[in-house]
Amino acid sequence: MIILTSCASATATSEETGPTPTAVIAGATATRPAADAEHGAQPKPTIAPFRFALPTPGAEPVSGWRPPLYPVPWAVSSYDHFYFARPIAADNVNWPLAEYRYGGVFFAPNVVHTGVDIDAEEGTPILATGPGTVVSADWGLFTEVAGNITDPYGQAVVLRHDFGYKGQTLYTVYAHMSEIIAVVGQHVKTGDVLGLVGDTGITTGPHLHFEIRLGGNTFFNTYNPELWMAPPQGWGVLVGRLTDEDGKLMNQFLVEVRPMPSEVPLRKVLTYAVGAANSDPYYQENLVLSDLPAGLYKIAFEYKDKNLQFWADIYPGQVTYFTFTDEDGFTVLPPPVPTLDFLPGTATVVP
Ligand SMILES: [Zn+2]
């Protein structure tokens, strides 16, 4: 979780107060996401939400401008859930740092990044990404010891949102604040200031650590914020599920994503660390790359000493989903419609 600093400029409208989404996914009223079904009863990592150094995938191309966001809630398909605006306003960088995406385990095994980091200067206002109630505003979120100034999250605010998803409660987390402005019990609207960017807790510099939590206010309940924050208008999101010859999700596997023709630099993204991240209940993904201008992209990586590649279109405001399997290679098809198997039931978290 954590860390880092510095980038470019501007973008989207984070401040609109859109209508409140309601859980509308037909037939699914789960009590707990089946996100980890793929990993079965696999042990949850002992999550420590922070780390200190730089992982491998190189820098994200940073442009100085991005279009305004789609209004929230934004859902082109019935399985989309871009319910949240961005926690940093449009006059600052408000997209995730490329090197610290969700689901990375960059240092020790079992130290996982449970959110995204957004680079921002100390003192930048941190905005509520949706309407909700402040349920926590203090030091001590990780250690659950109020006032603990050694807590890795530093000063953090948690919102319980007015809306949920599939019958489950949604929370957002804003960490490392230099100053907390919101107070517990306060009801906030989208765009209300919750606090200021800082580097409290374990960080290497001022930034915002942002999490989406579904079904419970713990770091075991996190999902990839890049599937929850509205895209810039005209831009889309690449989502992939990559599995090996054993049908297992590929671990921290480096994938290159290059626009065609390449007006924009190559982007690199790692698949989630196996067992360390929750996949979306529908997509069951292990790779997400958001904020891609619509157009044709080449997705490429090395697999078993071969350079594999395929092309996929990114559409405005939409998710482009692909799978890779050892047997069938690349496929660009939506996931199967969830069946009852998709409903939870087995997931029990034992911290
Ligand atoms: Zn972080």
Side-chain angles (χ1 to χ4, degrees), residues 38-263:
E38 206 47 44
H39 310 309
Q42 172 169 61
K44 285 288 189 173
T46 48
I47 295 178
F50 46 86
R51 55 214 151 57
F52 310 90
L54 296 179
T56 34
E60 176 96 335
V62 173
S63 80
W65 182 84
R66 290 177 191 206
L69 303 183
Y70 286 104
V72 290
W74 181 256
V76 172
S77 90
S78 58
Y79 296 102
D80 289 343
H81 39 62
F82 298 106
Y83 285 179
F84 297 102
R86 302 211 175 183
I88 300 291
D91 59 343
N92 284 283
V93 167
N94 64 0
W95 51 87
L97 272 168
E99 296 89 349
Y100 297 97
R101 295 182 186 280
Y102 176 81
V105 170
F106 300 115
F107 307 101
N110 298 341
V111 179
V112 62
H113 197 203
T114 52
V116 292
D117 293 345
I118 298 176
D119 202 14
E121 292 192 9
E122 175 126 7
T124 304
I126 296 168
L127 313 178
T129 54
T133 301
V134 179
V135 294
S136 177
D138 197 354
W139 300 84
L141 179 63
F142 182 76
T143 50
E144 298 183 341
V145 177
N148 176 13
I149 60 168
T150 66
D151 191 277
Y153 279 91
Q155 298 191 94
V157 166
V158 181
L159 294 184
R160 183 183 63 232
H161 288 284
D162 294 351
F163 49 85
Y165 181 68
K166 293 179 186 293
Q168 300 184 81
T169 306
L170 273 167
Y171 301 85
T172 50
V173 175
Y174 311 78
H176 307 316
M177 291 178 173
S178 60
E179 182 181 337
I180 293 175
I181 291 171
V183 295
V184 171
Q186 180 185 357
H187 186 267
V188 297
K189 304 185 307 298
T190 306
D192 284 354
V193 177
L194 303 175
L196 305 178
V197 168
D199 61 355
T200 57
I202 300 186
T203 79
T204 57
H207 75 278
L208 171 65
H209 171 83
F210 177 66
E211 291 182 10
I212 303 285
R213 295 176 171 186
L214 176 65
N217 182 18
T218 80
F219 45 73
F220 296 113
N221 295 88
T222 62
Y223 290 84
N224 194 332
E226 295 190 69
L227 284 172
W228 291 89
M229 294 189 296
Q233 293 179 28
W235 295 28
V237 181
L238 181 68
V239 177
R241 174 184 169 83
L242 291 80
T243 52
D244 63 16
E245 66 270 26
D246 299 321
K248 293 183 174 156
L249 290 169
M250 287 157 70
N251 181 53
Q252 297 241 279
F253 193 75
L254 184 64
V255 175
E256 296 184 348
V257 179
R258 185 185 295 277
M260 307 299 292
S262 18
E263 297 150 0

